[in-house]
Amino acid sequence: MDTEEFLKYMESGKTVIANSEIHKYMVKLSNEAMKITFELNSSYHTPEEIRKLFSMLTGKPVNEGFGMFPPFYTDCGKNITVGKDVFINSCCCFQDQGGIKIGDGALIGHNVVLATLNHGFIPEERKNTIPKPIIIGKNVWIGSNSTVLGGVTIGDNAIIGAGSLVNKDVPQNIIAAGVPAKIIKSIYDKEG
């Protein structure tokens, strides 16, 4: 098993059976991610050093407009893709095995959780995991303390209000907030 095979399997959306070969590889990637995130979070780093460490974590280069305020946490790293000029604020937790794609210009607030894995409902299958991707469009702003669940797409220019739980897709140009998040209004609506 290698990272490419792992990512292809996760993209398929198939269940990861506990203690299977794919699960063991997932644990291996988690340990690698912990090592890099410990380095990222353990002391001050310049913006250039943060970009270098984040690129090591994801296995993909980020552009000079990428910014992050550590600490940052992930349990994989290799299934995160970020566009140009993305900013991730402090204390975010990305569970990215199912895939996280963040579009150009997106802003991710403090303490945001992006969770792409779910567990089996039947107790005997509870340790199995089911991957579903999160797709965040261009110029999206996710407010502090929000959680986005697997299988969700947030459209371009959308805003997610602070403290929201996003468990369904959010169309582009919409403000959504609440638990669970509901559409509040269009960002172009001048009233209210």
Side-chain angles (χ1 to χ4, degrees), residues 158-162 164 166 169-171 174-178 181-185:
I159 298 171
I160 305 302
S164 295
V166 186
D169 291 353
V170 176
I174 290 296
I175 299 172
K182 295 189 181 340
I183 293 173
I184 306 297
K185 66 178 188 172

Side-chain angles (χ1 to χ4, degrees), residues 1-166:
M1 167 93 21
D2 63 19
T3 302
E4 187 176 324
E5 289 173 297
F6 171 79
L7 294 175
K8 193 171 281 191
Y9 185 92
M10 299 309 277
E11 186 178 313
S12 77
K14 294 178 188 172
T15 298
V16 176
I17 306 299
N19 298 315
S20 65
E21 180 184 358
I22 195 84
H23 181 259
K24 289 175 184 173
Y25 197 81
M26 183 186 291
V27 172
K28 176 185 181 292
L29 289 178
S30 294
N31 283 306
E32 290 174 11
M34 283 189 278
K35 184 177 179 182
I36 296 168
T37 55
F38 182 80
E39 170 66 23
L40 177 67
N41 298 332
S42 65
S43 64
Y44 171 78
H45 296 284
T46 65
E48 295 79 18
E49 291 168 334
I50 290 170
R51 285 192 294 274
K52 181 179 177 186
L53 286 165
F54 193 80
S55 293
M56 285 174 49
L57 183 63
T58 64
K60 304 170 195 90
V62 292
N63 82 318
E64 288 187 20
F66 175 82
M68 172 187 284
F69 289 167
F72 173 79
Y73 305 95
T74 185
D75 53 3
C76 182
K78 298 300 186 240
N79 213 356
I80 299 171
T81 303
V82 297
K84 296 177 183 173
D85 304 322
V86 168
F87 178 73
I88 300 170
N89 220 322
S90 60
C91 298
C92 288
C93 297
F94 289 11
Q95 180 193 52
D96 65 286
Q97 286 93 337
I100 295 172
K101 293 184 179 153
I102 303 174
D104 296 347
L107 304 172
I108 311 296
H110 293 88
N111 296 312
V112 166
V113 174
L114 304 179
T116 66
L117 292 181
N118 206 344
H119 290 275
F121 290 167
I122 300 168
E124 297 79 31
E125 297 175 4
R126 191 72 39 89
K127 291 185 179 181
N128 298 341
T129 54
I130 304 144
K132 291 186 181 176
I134 293 172
I135 300 168
I136 298 168
K138 294 179 181 178
N139 302 311
V140 168
W141 172 21
I142 301 178
S144 296
N145 296 305
S146 293
T147 297
V148 181
L149 299 181
V152 167
T153 296
I154 301 174
D156 293 349
N157 308 312
I159 298 171
I160 305 302
S164 295
L165 171 64
V166 186

